Amino acid sequence: DGIVTGHGLINGRRAFVYSQDATVLGGSMGEMHGLKLARMQELALEAGVPIIGLNDSGGGRLQEGPGASVYGTVFYNNVNSSGVIPQISAIMGSCAGGACYSPALTDFVIMVDKSSKAFITGPKVIQQVTGEVVDLETLGGAATHSTKSGLCQLVARDDYDCIAQIKCLLSFFPDNCTQMPPVYQCSDDVNRRIEELNDIIPDNKRRSYDMKSIITKIADDNFFFEISPMYARNIIIGFVRMGGMPVGVVANQTGCMAGCLDINASCKAARFIRTCDAFNIPLLSIVDVPGYLPGVQQEHDGIIRHGAKMLYAWAEATVPKIIMPIRKSYGGATPAMCSIDMHADFVMAWPTCERAVVGADAAVAVLYKNEIEQAADPAAAREMYKKMYEDEFLNP
């Protein structure tokens, strides 16, 4: 009935899989289609193994009227399985209407470049209602959802690459939340020295650098599986292995918005932290953050409300939390990237680390305003007080 369901082994590990068949009534969901899918979800949850969905559906089947209401059962099962078993969705065709919501409720969504589409209402309906003219790719293609909406965490070149990414992603996760993640044999010495890290932080504090170069150097075999690389690029999330053990990495990217936290970055990181916590994956936070992004639009859009999600995620996480501040760590962004106050297990600061409420320039402007104004040489006085502040506070 427009869906193929079953179970098997992926690299020797059990998994349940369903694949919607667009050649049968457009892969639309009727009653039996929905019941087959829901039964797979229930069996996967009972067995305690991952479930993978290959989605290609036109949405609810109009010919059955209320028969498509089984969507609610599918969504209910998605939520009940959340944080209990890994749920991975691949959108491998066009998914319209209700067909989009089930993938959105799963842990990860992968889309295929140029062939995947996801939207609640199609271009024709949008034009009729709002007068906006848009094509399918711009409305709901992989590029749109991986850069603008944030629905899609990974983009595949083609269907084969999509399957390969699913297998790689699954390798970082246990079968369910009661198990530990799989540990793989590693040839990299965990005690190896990485001399390049001595020179990776620029002497000029205003210069950016590529945080990913640090992540890859400390990872086993220099392999970093990045999640949502094109969305909210000011924060980096993804998986590495250390000594063969999966580790979730959260890091600031100074090359984008100086690494400031904004609404999208906060939501992206918070969801990742909670996913790792649910599946017993330790967390490493690599910190170089000047603060939350200032601006009227950010405030009005809810940076306080959304920024708090990171605080909530770190505070409730019970997995090991290792924090590595390497340069700036200012203001409320310090606990947002986790800190000892947020019950981090260890904080390992680089010699280049600066941690304070604000930077030296801003602090001196407030603390020594009168002294600077009354000095014979205000510029020299400012530099003197700035150095005093740096020597006393801005070091680990």
Side-chain angles (χ1 to χ4, degrees):
D1 191 44
I3 187 168
V4 181
T5 58
H7 59 88
L9 301 176
I10 297 175
N11 293 329
R13 296 172 57 192
R14 296 181 303 163
F16 279 81
V17 184
Y18 65 86
S19 176
Q20 291 172 317
D21 183 358
T23 67
V24 179
L25 296 172
S28 60
M29 183 180 286
E31 183 178 11
M32 296 315 299
H33 178 122
L35 290 176
K36 281 178 70 174
L37 196 164
R39 185 61 182 145
M40 285 298 99
Q41 293 176 308
E42 292 160 4
L43 288 170
L45 186 59
E46 288 171 14
V49 298
I51 183 166
I52 297 155
L54 310 180
N55 297 271
D56 186 358
S57 171
R61 189 173 301 167
L62 304 182
Q63 299 94 315
E64 292 193 21
S69 64
V70 76
Y71 267 127
T73 305
V74 172
F75 303 156
Y76 182 86
N77 289 343
N78 282 133
V79 174
N80 268 355
S81 298
S82 182
V84 182
I85 57 173
Q87 300 179 88
I88 301 174
S89 295
I91 295 178
M92 303 180 78
S94 290
C95 286
C100 302
Y101 282 117
S102 179
L105 290 168
T106 60
D107 299 309
F108 297 97
V109 176
I110 303 174
M111 294 181 73
V112 180
D113 193 28
K114 298 292 188 288
S115 64
S116 295
K117 311 286 185 293
F119 45 82
I120 299 301
T121 49
K124 291 182 180 178
V125 176
I126 289 175
Q127 186 175 1
Q128 288 174 356
V129 176
T130 69
E132 297 169 288
V133 178
V134 65
D135 60 81
L136 279 171
E137 185 64 30
T138 304
L139 177 64
T144 297
H145 286 305
S146 63
T147 60
K148 296 180 180 178
S149 76
L151 168 71
C152 160
Q153 284 86 18
L154 296 164
V155 176
R157 295 185 305 274
D158 52 36
D159 288 355
Y160 296 100
D161 183 43
C162 182
I163 299 298
Q165 289 196 41
I166 291 172
K167 290 181 178 181
C168 185
L169 179 58
L170 202 57
S171 72
F172 291 98
F173 283 83
D175 287 347
N176 58 65
C177 65
T178 67
Q179 299 178 5
M180 294 300 292
V183 178
Y184 290 81
Q185 280 193 329
C186 168
S187 57
D188 261 355
D189 181 6
V190 294
N191 296 310
R192 68 190 183 279
R193 291 184 61 80
I194 308 168
E195 298 294 343
E196 304 97 306
L197 295 181
N198 287 326
D199 306 313
I200 210 160
I201 303 296
D203 292 332
N204 185 343
K205 296 175 183 178
R206 294 185 179 276
R207 278 190 59 198
S208 64
Y209 57 93
D210 187 6
M211 180 65 83
K212 293 179 193 177
S213 61
I214 294 178
I215 298 170
T216 54
K217 281 179 172 61
I218 65 176
D220 289 353
D221 302 317
N222 303 127
F223 178 68
F224 175 45
F225 190 81
E226 189 175 1
I227 302 296
S228 297
M230 294 177 284
Y231 178 73
R233 292 184 299 110
N234 43 320
I235 197 140
I236 300 167
I237 59 172
F239 298 103
V240 297
R241 289 192 177 87
M242 299 180 122
M245 176 75 181
V247 175
V249 177
V250 180
N252 307 107
Q253 178 59 288
T254 62
C256 180
M257 295 161 50
C260 281
L261 296 174
D262 65 350
I263 289 171
N264 289 341
S266 299
C267 294
K268 170 181 167 179
R271 178 172 178 173
F272 180 75
I273 293 163
R274 300 189 78 181
T275 300
C276 289
D277 183 49
F279 293 106
N280 309 312
I281 299 173
L283 286 158
L284 169 65
S285 175
I286 307 178
V287 185
D288 187 351
V289 60
Y292 279 97
L293 182 68
V296 174
Q297 196 62 50
Q298 283 287 305
E299 295 289 353
H300 289 182
D301 288 346
I303 184 62
I304 299 172
R305 176 167 54 92
H306 293 292
K309 292 175 183 177
M310 283 187 75
L311 300 172
Y312 196 105
W314 282 118
E316 74 165 355
T318 58
V319 293
K321 296 178 283 191
I322 308 295
I323 316 304
M324 191 166 71
I326 60 176
R327 194 161 67 170
K328 298 181 296 296
S329 183
Y330 290 141
T334 295
M337 291 300 295
C338 201
S339 60
I340 206 72
D341 327 72
M342 300 289 285
H343 286 226
D345 295 289
F346 290 98
V347 178
M348 301 177 180
W350 284 25
T352 45
C353 167
E354 301 176 2
R355 184 185 176 194
V357 178
V358 293
D361 287 327
V364 166
V366 173
L367 297 175
Y368 301 104
K369 181 185 177 188
N370 293 335
E371 289 87 339
I372 291 170
E373 289 176 348
Q374 295 165 10
D377 186 345
R382 184 181 297 107
E383 287 304 311
M384 180 189 73
Y385 287 122
K386 182 179 171 183
K387 188 173 187 313
M388 285 172 48
Y389 190 85
E390 288 175 347
D391 290 344
E392 186 167 358
F393 295 114
L394 298 190
N395 58 75

